[in-house]
Amino acid sequence: MAKSLFEERLNSGKFLVTTEIGPPKGTDISEMVHHIELLKDKVDAINVTDHQSSVMRFPSLGGCLLVREHGGEPVFQMTTRDRNRLALQADLLLAYSRGIRNVLCLTGDSVDVGDHKEAKPVFDLDSVQLLRMIRIMESGKDLAGNDLKGAPEFCIGASVHPATDSIEPQLIKFDKKVEAGAQFFQTQGVYDLDCLRRFMQYASQFNVKILAGIIVLASARMAQYMNDNVPGIVVPQAVIDELAGAEKGKGLQKGIEIAVRLMKMIKDENLCHGVHIMAVGREGIVPDILEAAGLGVSVHV
Amino acid sequence: MMNSKEAELCSSERKTMYSAGSDAFKSDHSDGVKKTSFDHTLMPPCQDACPLHMEIREYVDLIAQGRVMEALQVIRDGNPFPSICAHVCTAPCETACRRGQVDNPVAIRALKRFAVEFGGDRMIQLEAETRHEERTAIVGSGPAGLSAAYYLRRLGYPVTIFEAYSEPGGMLRVGIPKYRLPGEILDTEVQRLIQMGVEIRTNTPVVSLDLLFDMGYKAVFVTVGAHQGLRLGIEGEDSPGVVDGATFLREVNLGFKPSIGERIAVVGGGNVAIDAARAALRLGAREVRILYRRSREEMPADPAEIEQAIEEGVEILFLATPTKIAGKDRQLGLTCIRMELGEPDASGRRRPIPIQDSEFNMGIDTLITAIGQAPQIPSDFRLRIGRGSTIQVDPITLTTNRVGVFAGGDAITGPATVVQALATGRGAASRIDDYLQHRYPLVSKDEKETLAGELLPKTIEMIRKLTRFEPLTVSPEARVKEFELVELVYDWESAINEARRCLRCGMGAEILFQDKCATCLTCLRVCPYHVPYLDDSGTIQIPADQCQACGICVAECPAKAIVLRKPQDRRQIDEELDHVLKSAAQAKSKPFIIGFSCQYGLYGTGALASLWRGAKAGIWIVPVLCVAKIEAEHILQAFEMGAEGVFIAGCGQEQCAREDTAFWALQRMEKAKKVLAQIGLEPQRLQAFNLYADGEDPATALDKFTERIGEFYLASAIKQEVKT
Amino acid sequence: MTVCGAGGEREVSLLHSALKVAQARGGNEAHSFLEYTVKRQCDFEFLDMLEDRVGEVDAILSLGCGIGVQVIAERFPDIPVLPGVNTSFMGASKEWGVWDERCAACGECRLDETGGICPITRCVKGILNGPCAGSKSGKCEVSSDMDCAWVLIYERLERLGQLEKMRRYYPPRNFRTIPRPRRIVSKADIDLGGNDG
């Protein structure tokens, strides 16, 4: 029996589509709720980011609760940057109890790249240890070996970076995550499909679902900025040039064009099991992208 | 002159734990020749004060370990007649002994006697061969002459001693009463000399030195001593019944029994006066009084002798001196006057001044004058005479105004001590040898630095106070009946406990590798005597004059920068472990249990010997000089050698002569246990035994331990079987 | 004086000069300064030398590490002690003037597993199953000047033929080795009564 709706969809064999929502910096959640309503029926799951880029925001767990409330299928992005193992376990217990059954286990960006550079980085666990911890909790024990009064069950995933220039260490990490129990992977932004192909040659030996990360860029400058400052993002020069070549004011359109092109190719060639769209603050355009990519099908709740 | 033990140690291969040190040590030991540069011990005050510079610290330490025969060997290396000194030496070493700053000096002379009597001195035969043609003549067979004869004979010269009296020995024979130096002892020494080939001609006074040269002697050593009593210079001194002290003693010692009556007065304050008084008692005198013109503090006689005299019933009148003698035959009337002490005179002692109208009289039978002696040199010797009728000599070469004629002993110094005479004799032999071989006299070889400095109060405070074991004496009542020895020799336990009181001055710890020292302050913190200190530049200093040579800091220093000054001490445990290894290899067996056993104290007496002999086979003992020197590494080495169990046996904290030693030995054992636990060896494989502990008898405890080790061994053997 | 050059006689006299200059220029003549250098401030015995001088001052400015400042304060509790340096880390120096952090005193050394490269100090996140996704061209996401420790570890282990060490799962750290203040006792508890064991 599947642990969550998303898991069902993972196992169904269909081409998967997920996207992410970044919560606001503040109590005004109106826009986030609007985006949830907009996307909940169009994707297989909605990720809520956890202080992405170490910028303080409304919490991921809170965002997931809202997704649930509004009838969507949330993926709880959990980093280990801010909470120790007690807090992490507690949040998981709460998440499960409120029907949030999918967790994306991440180490998290370093505090130094964010907007609270003097904060204490916790990193009591890393992503691999978090994956394992969830499996331990599922067996009815907490991390210290005490019995749980009611054990949770989760569909768990992790991230991977196929486009990294140090691929061997990354693959060692990937192996560890698979061994730890990850069922699905949402990759960092992918532009080079050959790279994705090579990665999939390796990853397909495992029984895991890979969703290629698609980042929607709006300009060459944005691409360059992300390249330089955002961890895990590698935009190839060709793409930057393509963006730069766009007509003035048509940057975003070009960006969407590139994203759609990638998504189509991935789907058509069955390169991996799905895509994960990262609109980076422009969640509103996601439905259009899906439409353009031929993935704009409603999904049943 | 190299100690035989040192010679033996030089030639064998050595492993040392001080890697840098061992390299330096090897270079110092090229071709097996020992260079003293690596021996950093300082000459202790006892050795420095001894005219013979005997290695006192070394032989006292050997006695403390129960190695009496080796102690005797050290003594013999430094002293030609140990048995004589053992009885009568004035022991300047004891006066200099720094133990005196703590409680009482170590009873060195009594320990020497113990070594002589228990070390089998009587069995030692001496031999010498003739390597030179030049014949040497010695005039006078006192200690200086006998000593010179001994050393000249060892150098290979034909030696003849000419003695005027009927028996050889000089003052040893005729001056010192037999209750202090039995005649047999002197006879034994003289016999040994004769066995060596020395010719002694008694009843042969020498009247002319020219005659000796005519007879073919190439060098002459004049040691006629100082036998001529000084005169009081008072009226009636030539009356019958007045006799000079030295003459009196000579007659007594040579077997004549001078009749002196019952009431005796002795004038003087030196050992001759005391000896005369006590001899008089033994001849039957009822009233014996000594008149001394100064007070007891200034009395030059040996304090123990004064004490014994008083015990025997001699009455000493201080601050009194005779002024007139009257009377005839045996009835003498002695007029005396009381004195008081004024300003110091040339000798530094306060001058006695007669108190006006304080005369008093006493009736006596004999007056013995013992205010000093002077040499009597025949004028035909044609030697230049100086102050006090002594022969003038060059102090370094001991030559007189006549070519080929040397002089020494009381003849050049006036009355002095036996040991000084022995030293002069030894020196003279070298000088005569130089002369006869036409060599320029080399005065002194590498002089070792002498330890100087008083013990600081903070050091003294931590040193355990141990009462000096005084040698027992025969009861005063029994003593006065005869001329038998007054002082009894130590028994083993007393000797060893007395020897343990030695502070081992100058052979303590030093920071040998200053660049290794990180000033971690460990030595400063672990020393029970608070010896290491930080100087103004922030460098640790370990003052040699305070260090008690316990060895704790050496074993605790994390950088191994501290070593013991004496090379043999540094390597001691390593050598013993090496020895076990070699013996085990020879026996084609592995040591089953290795026991590190302290050699001092009760262990030295051999009380523990029965324990080891009775122990089951496979127990190998590594003797250590105090358990404080055992390091955790040594324990591990024992296991490396195949031992299944290790024990440490020593005195408990209360019985050890040093502080904190048991504590540190146990700390190291705990450290070893921790390390062994990581290898999977049980902590019960290590145990410490304290011979003095209440409760279980160590023999039983050792048996139990052996049994337990046996069980461990079986268990691990089975585990091995199962594995394979 | 430490190996990193802090707090030696030279730095003390430099600081003294600077303070005098600041005084002169600021017109505040209220303070006077005494200089003193001891071998170490963290062992009480070295502070004995200060005993006589302490009465002459109202405060002690210590250029020792945090340990030294605290030991001085404990030794001379009636005098305020001010820290003059910020004690930062334990590190190594390959060239003059440059020191790199190498050890965080975590109490659980695992350098045998990571080819001699410490993930606690050299990885910004201090993770044990690295690298993270932020590693780019062998550099850390935080700065292109910083090497990604896990790429270094990978390369070293590969060189040593020990890559299987990196493939192992490392469970969460035991932070219990760091309850503060930590204490190490190397001396054993000895009972001196009679036979041991």
Side-chain angles (χ1 to χ4, degrees):
Chain A
M1 227 235 21
K3 286 178 274 189
S4 71
L5 194 53
F6 181 57
E7 189 180 80
E8 249 181 64
R9 291 169 184 168
L10 280 176
N11 297 334
S12 67
K14 68 187 281 291
F15 190 74
L16 299 154
V17 178
T18 59
T19 186
E20 69 181 27
I21 287 181
K25 194 191 237 312
T27 53
D28 182 358
I29 53 172
S30 51
E31 200 181 323
M32 180 164 72
V33 171
H34 167 70
H35 288 145
I36 291 172
E37 281 294 335
L38 187 63
L39 297 166
K40 67 179 187 190
D41 296 322
K42 295 194 169 55
V43 293
D44 293 307
I46 300 178
N47 287 36
V48 182
T49 60
D50 182 8
H51 300 318
Q52 192 163 59
S53 306
S54 300
V55 173
M56 191 286 293
R57 292 179 183 282
F58 189 89
S60 155
L61 184 53
C64 289
L65 282 170
L66 286 170
V67 170
R68 199 83 185 84
E69 254 173 64
H70 290 263
E73 177 67 358
V75 172
F76 177 17
Q77 275 190 213
M78 190 178 226
T79 67
T80 61
R81 174 195 47 235
D82 312 305
R83 287 161 287 184
N84 71 6
R85 59 194 82 175
L86 278 93
L88 291 168
Q89 286 176 99
D91 281 358
L92 287 164
L93 292 177
L94 172 59
Y96 179 81
S97 74
R98 311 310 296 151
I100 300 162
R101 303 280 160 92
N102 310 298
V103 184
L104 186 72
C105 301
L106 306 165
T107 301
D109 296 327
S110 146
V111 164
D112 303 85
V113 305
D115 66 352
H116 283 63
K117 294 186 196 294
E118 293 175 8
K120 177 182 185 179
V122 178
F123 295 115
D124 187 12
L125 265 50
D126 58 36
S127 53
V128 179
Q129 291 159 350
L130 179 56
L131 286 163
R132 288 214 182 209
M133 185 178 80
I134 293 176
R135 290 294 182 230
I136 289 171
M137 289 175 80
E138 287 179 347
S139 76
K141 300 240 186 249
D142 67 14
L143 195 57
N146 306 307
D147 289 330
L148 289 175
K149 187 177 178 185
E153 275 186 330
F154 291 103
C155 168
I156 55 179
S159 75
V160 68
H161 190 15
T164 180
D165 48 9
S166 335
I167 189 64
E168 295 95 352
Q170 185 68 209
L171 291 180
I172 290 178
K173 186 88 182 268
F174 175 73
D175 286 352
K176 283 197 194 181
K177 289 178 177 175
V178 172
E179 255 177 88
Q183 297 163 262
F184 67 92
F185 286 82
Q186 289 166 323
T187 79
Q188 305 283 356
V190 167
Y191 294 95
D192 178 350
L193 294 185
D194 281 328
C195 176
L196 182 60
R197 256 182 226 111
R198 277 195 303 274
F199 173 72
M200 285 311 299
Q201 261 175 349
Y202 179 78
S204 51
Q205 65 181 304
F206 303 103
N207 183 17
V208 295
K209 302 290 184 279
I210 310 292
L211 285 79
I214 307 290
I215 299 179
V216 183
L217 297 163
S219 67
R221 207 185 57 216
M222 177 190 174
Q224 194 61 53
Y225 178 83
M226 295 192 82
N227 238 358
D228 296 338
N229 297 299
V230 180
I233 312 256
V234 179
V235 186
Q237 195 56 42
V239 172
I240 299 177
D241 293 339
E242 203 184 322
L243 282 164
E247 285 173 35
K248 200 166 184 316
K250 299 274 189 187
L252 181 59
Q253 229 166 331
K254 177 57 74 171
I256 293 173
E257 200 186 296
I258 295 169
V260 168
R261 184 174 69 223
L262 285 168
M263 282 162 66
K264 270 197 176 150
M265 273 162 60
I266 288 171
K267 176 158 198 274
D268 292 340
E269 293 178 48
N270 224 350
L271 283 182
C272 58
H273 307 91
V275 292
H276 174 64
I277 302 167
M278 296 175 265
V280 198
R282 295 188 173 77
E283 287 86 345
I285 57 159
V286 174
D288 301 323
I289 296 174
L290 290 173
E291 189 81 50
L295 296 165
V297 208
S298 280
V299 290
H300 295 291
V301 169
Chain B
M1 204 164 49
M2 207 191 298
N3 181 311
S4 57
K5 180 164 74 116
E6 290 172 347
E8 191 221 342
L9 287 169
C10 273
S11 51
S12 56
E13 264 288 328
R14 257 170 311 281
K15 184 179 72 161
T16 121
M17 291 167 69
Y18 302 101
S19 51
S22 79
D23 289 350
F25 191 61
K26 279 194 195 116
S27 68
D28 258 19
H29 272 62
S30 50
D31 310 318
V33 173
K34 177 179 156 149
K35 296 188 188 129
T36 53
S37 60
F38 218 55
D39 178 343
H40 292 176
T41 58
L42 298 175
M43 188 182 296
C46 49
Q47 186 171 348
D48 193 42
C50 174
L52 287 172
H53 296 306
M54 291 189 67
E55 293 188 326
I56 296 164
R57 181 183 60 201
E58 275 60 40
Y59 75 70
V60 168
D61 196 42
L62 286 167
I63 292 173
Q65 296 171 44
R67 292 155 71 178
V68 185
M69 286 177 73
E70 290 174 64
L72 181 63
Q73 196 54 51
V74 173
I75 293 169
R76 281 216 142 259
D77 282 345
N79 188 323
F81 312 117
S83 49
I84 293 176
C85 283
H87 284 91
V88 300
C89 189
T90 51
C93 52
E94 291 186 31
T95 313
C97 176
R98 295 201 321 150
R99 183 85 207 190
Q101 292 169 34
V102 178
D103 35 45
N104 304 105
V106 175
I108 300 169
R109 183 184 55 75
L111 286 172
K112 185 195 269 114
R113 181 166 164 202
F114 171 78
V116 162
E117 299 207 11
F118 281 86
D121 189 60
R122 277 165 218 243
M123 318 240 252
I124 293 177
Q125 313 276 23
L126 295 172
E127 280 167 6
E129 52 173 23
T130 307
R131 292 193 290 277
H132 299 288
E133 286 180 336
E134 298 87 345
R135 295 161 65 211
T136 54
I138 298 177
V139 184
S141 66
L146 294 174
S147 171
Y150 174 86
Y151 286 106
L152 279 168
R153 193 73 200 106
R154 288 219 355 195
L155 287 166
Y157 291 98
V159 180
T160 309
I161 304 180
F162 294 91
E163 171 53 51
Y165 292 134
S166 55
E167 290 178 48
M171 272 303 190
L172 294 172
R173 178 77 63 182
V174 301
I176 300 178
K178 294 201 180 357
Y179 61 79
R180 285 211 289 136
L181 183 64
E184 309 84 72
I185 290 179
L186 195 46
D187 290 335
T188 309
E189 294 298 353
V190 170
Q191 233 1 79
R192 270 203 271 249
L193 277 181
I194 294 173
Q195 270 172 2
M196 281 170 77
V198 172
E199 188 193 353
I200 304 183
R201 297 214 221 159
T202 52
N203 284 320
T204 317
V206 171
V207 297
S208 145
L209 298 179
D210 303 307
L211 212 57
L212 291 173
F213 285 110
D214 289 340
M215 285 163 77
Y217 291 101
K218 298 295 181 199
V220 176
F221 185 44
V222 178
T223 62
V224 296
H227 297 258
Q228 177 75 26
L230 297 178
R231 292 177 63 83
L232 281 171
I234 59 173
E235 190 188 318
E237 193 166 357
D238 294 311
S239 317
V242 178
V243 64
D244 142 67
T247 310
F248 169 65
L249 286 173
R250 184 164 66 239
E251 288 178 8
V252 171
N253 281 348
L254 288 178
F256 311 117
K257 280 194 171 54
S259 65
I260 47 174
E262 293 193 336
R263 298 168 304 163
I264 316 295
V266 180
V267 183
N271 280 329
V272 176
I274 301 285
D275 283 341
R278 294 171 75 187
L281 275 179
R282 283 155 173 79
L283 290 177
R286 268 193 310 110
E287 264 174 47
V288 179
R289 288 195 195 89
I290 296 178
L291 297 160
Y292 178 55
R293 60 185 185 144
R294 289 187 168 94
S295 72
R296 183 157 185 173
E297 284 75 55
E298 284 95 2
M299 208 171 190
D302 186 66
E305 302 288 329
I306 301 172
E307 197 53 52
Q308 286 175 2
I310 295 173
E311 276 174 10
E312 288 165 9
V314 172
E315 192 190 336
I316 306 182
L317 297 173
F318 294 101
L319 295 163
T321 201
T323 53
K324 197 165 73 164
I325 306 162
K328 43 192 193 293
D329 293 332
R330 291 283 123 159
Q331 299 292 321
L332 293 177
L334 191 65
T335 310
C336 309
I337 195 167
R338 302 235 179 254
M339 314 291 272
E340 63 183 354
L341 293 176
E343 290 308 306
D345 67 10
S347 72
R349 294 184 295 167
R350 296 177 66 187
R351 183 205 307 272
I353 300 168
I355 301 174
Q356 285 251 346
D357 302 319
S358 67
E359 283 90 343
F360 62 98
N361 293 309
M362 59 169 84
I364 54 173
D365 299 321
T366 304
L367 175 70
I368 304 177
T369 60
I371 58 165
Q373 298 77 38
Q376 247 186 322
I377 315 296
S379 53
D380 286 342
F381 281 14
R382 296 200 318 278
L383 294 173
R384 193 172 300 139
I385 307 296
R387 213 160 55 92
S389 307
T390 56
I391 304 174
Q392 284 193 319
V393 293
D394 176 296
I396 294 178
T397 60
L398 296 176
T399 48
T400 63
N401 55 310
R402 291 185 62 169
V403 170
V405 177
F406 298 77
D410 284 1
I412 65 171
T413 59
T417 61
V418 169
V419 65
Q420 275 172 284
L422 294 178
T424 321
R426 182 171 74 184
S430 299
R431 300 288 82 79
I432 293 172
D433 178 45
D434 289 335
Y435 166 72
L436 290 173
Q437 301 309 318
H438 310 290
R439 269 197 309 260
Y440 193 79
L442 297 164
V443 177
S444 53
K445 288 138 199 184
D446 46 48
E447 290 284 357
K448 206 187 261 200
E449 194 189 325
T450 308
L451 185 85
E454 307 272 299
L455 287 168
L456 294 170
K458 67 177 168 119
T459 314
I460 294 176
E461 195 186 320
M462 294 310 298
I463 297 176
R464 179 143 352 135
K465 312 298 175 284
L466 301 164
T467 336
R468 169 170 155 139
F469 285 85
E470 291 293 348
L472 299 173
T473 50
V474 178
S475 73
E477 307 80 50
R479 295 202 299 246
V480 296
K481 295 200 171 73
E482 55 201 350
F483 282 82
E484 295 301 308
L485 265 178
V486 168
E487 187 186 276
L488 302 172
V489 71
Y490 279 140
D491 60 63
W492 272 77
E493 199 169 325
S494 306
I496 282 164
N497 285 328
E498 180 57 24
R500 288 210 302 161
R501 294 175 63 244
C502 173
L503 299 178
R504 302 188 211 145
C505 304
M507 60 182 251
E510 61 166 342
I511 297 179
L512 185 63
F513 305 106
Q514 194 65 49
D515 54 328
K516 277 192 185 181
C517 173
T519 325
C520 69
L521 306 180
T522 297
C523 57
L524 191 150
R525 289 172 176 170
V526 306
C527 176
Y529 305 98
H530 310 304
V531 174
Y533 68 92
L534 277 173
D535 67 14
D536 291 331
S537 71
T539 311
I540 289 277
Q541 302 292 343
I542 304 183
D545 58 350
Q546 305 302 317
C547 177
Q548 298 299 303
C550 66
I552 291 172
C553 67
V554 174
E556 289 300 320
C557 173
K560 289 198 182 174
I562 307 178
V563 301
L564 287 167
R565 290 172 179 270
K566 196 165 158 195
Q568 290 90 329
D569 279 348
R570 280 176 226 156
R571 303 183 308 269
Q572 197 263 330
I573 302 182
D574 297 301
E575 280 180 3
E576 295 291 345
L577 279 171
D578 219 26
H579 177 75
V580 167
L581 198 61
K582 288 201 171 73
S583 308
Q586 268 192 333
K588 294 203 190 2
S589 65
K590 278 200 304 192
F592 184 60
I593 292 176
I594 287 182
F596 294 89
S597 167
C598 176
Q599 287 306 284
Y600 288 120
L602 211 51
Y603 292 76
T605 61
L608 204 59
S610 56
L611 201 67
W612 307 139
R613 266 186 255 118
K616 301 183 173 53
I619 299 184
W620 297 70
I621 302 296
V622 172
V624 300
L625 299 177
C626 188
V627 296
K629 300 196 177 82
I630 301 172
E631 303 175 21
E633 296 96 287
H634 292 131
I635 299 175
L636 265 289
Q637 267 181 280
F639 280 95
E640 261 186 80
M641 296 201 291
E644 295 287 332
V646 168
F647 67 81
I648 296 178
C651 298
Q653 198 85 316
E654 292 306 309
Q655 295 79 26
C656 183
R658 294 288 183 279
E659 301 299 318
D660 291 352
T661 49
F663 174 79
W664 287 106
L666 289 172
Q667 280 287 333
R668 310 213 191 105
M669 207 175 71
E670 290 301 312
K671 198 194 281 190
K673 279 188 190 174
K674 260 198 227 166
V675 173
L676 291 171
Q678 292 173 11
I679 308 171
L681 289 173
E682 304 83 341
Q684 294 88 353
R685 288 179 184 259
L686 290 180
Q687 186 153 336
F689 292 103
N690 172 4
L691 187 67
Y692 290 87
D694 295 326
E696 200 153 36
D697 156 47
T700 320
L702 182 59
D703 280 344
K704 266 214 223 147
F705 178 67
T706 313
E707 228 179 273
R708 199 190 303 151
I709 300 298
E711 285 164 23
F712 283 139
Y713 174 65
L714 274 175
S716 64
I718 291 171
K719 260 196 238 159
Q720 273 299 100
E721 285 272 323
V722 170
K723 258 201 223 164
T724 55
Chain C
M1 193 215 72
T2 62
V3 175
C4 67
E9 252 187 82
R10 189 177 301 283
E11 195 161 88
V12 167
S13 61
L14 189 63
L15 180 61
H16 190 181
S17 277
L19 286 166
K20 285 200 283 207
V21 169
Q23 267 195 310
R25 297 181 75 89
N28 174 8
E29 304 288 297
H31 305 297
S32 65
F33 305 95
L34 293 175
E35 277 180 38
Y36 208 83
T37 309
V38 294
K39 197 151 188 183
R40 285 205 294 280
Q41 295 179 22
C42 50
D43 281 311
F44 282 81
E45 288 88 342
F46 288 106
L47 298 179
D48 289 341
M49 299 179 223
L50 288 179
E51 191 146 28
D52 298 328
R53 321 274 331 253
V54 149
E56 302 168 35
V57 298
D58 303 305
I60 298 178
L61 175 60
S62 161
L63 292 184
C65 75
I67 306 170
V69 177
Q70 291 185 67
V71 173
I72 293 182
E74 200 177 321
R75 176 82 173 76
F76 301 112
D78 297 318
I79 250 211
V81 185
L82 315 167
V85 298
N86 283 322
T87 311
S88 302
F89 58 80
M90 288 183 274
S93 167
K94 280 203 296 209
E95 53 172 301
W96 179 85
V98 180
W99 289 271
D100 295 312
E101 183 175 14
R102 282 291 178 267
C103 179
C106 74
E108 260 197 318
C109 191
R110 56 190 71 248
L111 286 170
D112 58 317
E113 309 278 5
T114 55
I117 296 165
C118 177
I120 312 292
T121 46
R122 300 189 70 177
C123 167
V124 159
K125 303 178 186 177
I127 58 176
L128 301 182
N129 298 286
C132 75
S135 170
K136 190 185 210 161
S137 306
K139 300 291 178 189
C140 178
E141 67 188 28
V142 164
S143 157
S144 53
D145 292 327
M146 257 178 70
D147 293 324
C148 167
W150 279 99
V151 169
L152 288 179
I153 290 172
Y154 172 83
E155 285 166 357
R156 175 69 58 76
L157 287 175
E158 189 186 35
R159 187 173 177 159
L160 293 172
Q162 292 180 351
L163 266 179
E164 76 279 1
K165 287 187 180 173
M166 191 165 166
R167 296 186 210 284
R168 277 179 218 161
Y169 166 68
Y170 290 104
R173 271 173 73 184
N174 174 8
F175 285 87
R176 193 146 184 259
T177 61
I178 324 179
R180 267 123 188 177
R182 290 177 268 188
R183 169 176 266 211
I184 291 179
V185 178
S186 76
K187 72 173 176 184
D189 222 353
I190 302 287
D191 167 29
L192 286 170
N195 279 339
D196 179 51

